Amino acid sequence: MTQSNTNTAVSAETVMRERHSVRQYKRDVVIPQETLNEILELSAAAPSSWNLQQWRFLVVQEQAQKDMILPIAYGQQQVSDASVVVVVLGDLQANITGREIFDGALAGGHISQEIRDNMVNQIEGAYQFEQVARDEANKNAGLAAMQLMLAAKAKGYDTVPMGGFDKAKLVEALNIPERFIPVMMIPIGEAAAPARPAGRLPLDKLVINETF
Ligand SMILES: Cc1cc2nc3c(=O)[nH]c(=O)nc-3n(C[C@H](O)[C@H](O)[C@H](O)COP(=O)(O)O)c2cc1C
């Protein structure tokens, strides 16, 4: 896509077809803070279980910080060269957000006490299970991550989703609290070289009609 980094409207289909994992970036490209904020806002418009928004965005822009996490990402050069690296975090304690949201809605007179109690009990019940909390963190942060990549593409930037990094070392290096888990690392920037082609399985391998 030969698209400048302006607010040119581009169709959802074009963005989805033209997003590819770019691994080579021009160095020293600065993404305007306003554009970055728009990308993050669009990402946060993703749906989530109970609207708990189980994602956080740890934004790394300083060159020294990017270089510090380069070895943690096993030397994948895009981490150093891209303009921004967003670490998408998943929230293991999103039930806390649940209470805040539904208490706020009750205080604002938008829901009844009964609805508030039902929702909070449902969420607290589910979050008693560590595996549920972890699944929800990964699932919902993944949705925000996908939306982030599409939003960036719509704004004329490229990305690459990355799971190839040492999670424990990243947690330590960036002081990530226990409440959050790093789900994905997403460098964002201007491509220095196109993505390598990556094919897809044909629909007849992917689609099961009605039942197996
Ligand atoms: C969860 C996840 C983790 C990934 N981890 C890496 C990674 O560590 N390094 C990398 O270069 N690409 C990584 N990728 C990118 C995939 O290789 C890429 O999405 C796939 O080959 C399809 O290519 P495309 O994104 O250009 O369509 C990852 C993708 C996903 C979804």
Side-chain angles (χ1 to χ4, degrees):
M1 181 164 43
T2 51
Q3 183 201 343
S4 64
N5 301 327
T6 59
N7 221 352
T8 322
V10 51
S11 79
E13 178 171 347
T14 302
V15 166
M16 283 186 257
R17 288 197 187 280
E18 307 229 336
R19 181 219 56 81
H20 302 292
S21 290
V22 166
R23 297 176 178 85
Q24 286 173 267
Y25 290 89
K26 294 179 194 161
R27 285 179 74 91
D28 303 317
V29 172
V30 176
I31 300 178
Q33 190 61 44
E34 197 188 332
T35 307
L36 185 58
N37 286 346
E38 283 172 350
I39 291 170
L40 295 170
E41 262 176 30
L42 288 167
S43 176
S48 60
S49 312
W50 295 290
N51 195 26
L52 297 185
Q53 301 155 69
Q54 291 91 336
W55 47 71
R56 297 292 184 276
F57 308 111
L58 207 173
V59 179
V60 179
Q61 300 194 68
E62 283 177 22
Q63 193 58 51
Q65 282 286 89
K66 289 186 284 176
D67 289 341
M68 189 262 288
I69 58 178
L70 178 62
I72 295 172
Y74 309 117
Q76 297 190 71
Q77 191 59 32
Q78 60 264 26
V79 168
S80 171
D81 294 347
S83 309
V84 181
V85 176
V86 177
V87 182
V88 181
L89 303 173
D91 186 359
L92 293 174
Q93 295 170 26
N95 51 315
I96 295 171
T97 309
R99 265 182 266 133
E100 289 164 1
I101 289 176
F102 291 102
D103 283 343
L106 176 66
H110 306 301
I111 55 170
S112 66
Q113 182 75 45
E114 191 188 355
I115 291 178
R116 180 263 171 215
D117 291 348
N118 271 341
M119 294 306 292
V120 168
N121 288 341
Q122 213 182 94
I123 293 164
E124 293 292 348
Y127 271 82
Q128 276 180 17
F129 301 98
E130 201 271 336
Q131 189 61 48
V132 171
R134 196 164 286 275
D135 287 348
E136 292 293 336
N138 279 302
K139 178 168 53 183
N140 291 289
L143 291 174
M146 183 71 254
Q147 199 130 311
L148 189 153
M149 291 184 270
L150 295 176
K153 190 69 189 169
K155 302 271 176 208
Y157 293 101
D158 283 291
T159 57
V160 51
M162 289 175 57
F165 57 91
D166 186 321
K167 290 199 164 84
K169 282 192 181 151
L170 190 76
V171 164
E172 199 189 334
L174 300 179
N175 293 316
I176 298 171
E178 264 184 25
R179 175 170 171 175
F180 302 106
I181 48 168
V183 172
M184 227 178 284
M185 210 183 249
I186 309 182
I188 312 174
E190 276 186 24
R196 58 171 181 259
R200 289 298 190 267
L201 297 169
L203 272 196
D204 62 6
K205 279 218 166 196
L206 301 174
V207 178
I208 296 93
N209 284 304
E210 314 303 343
T211 180
F212 272 95

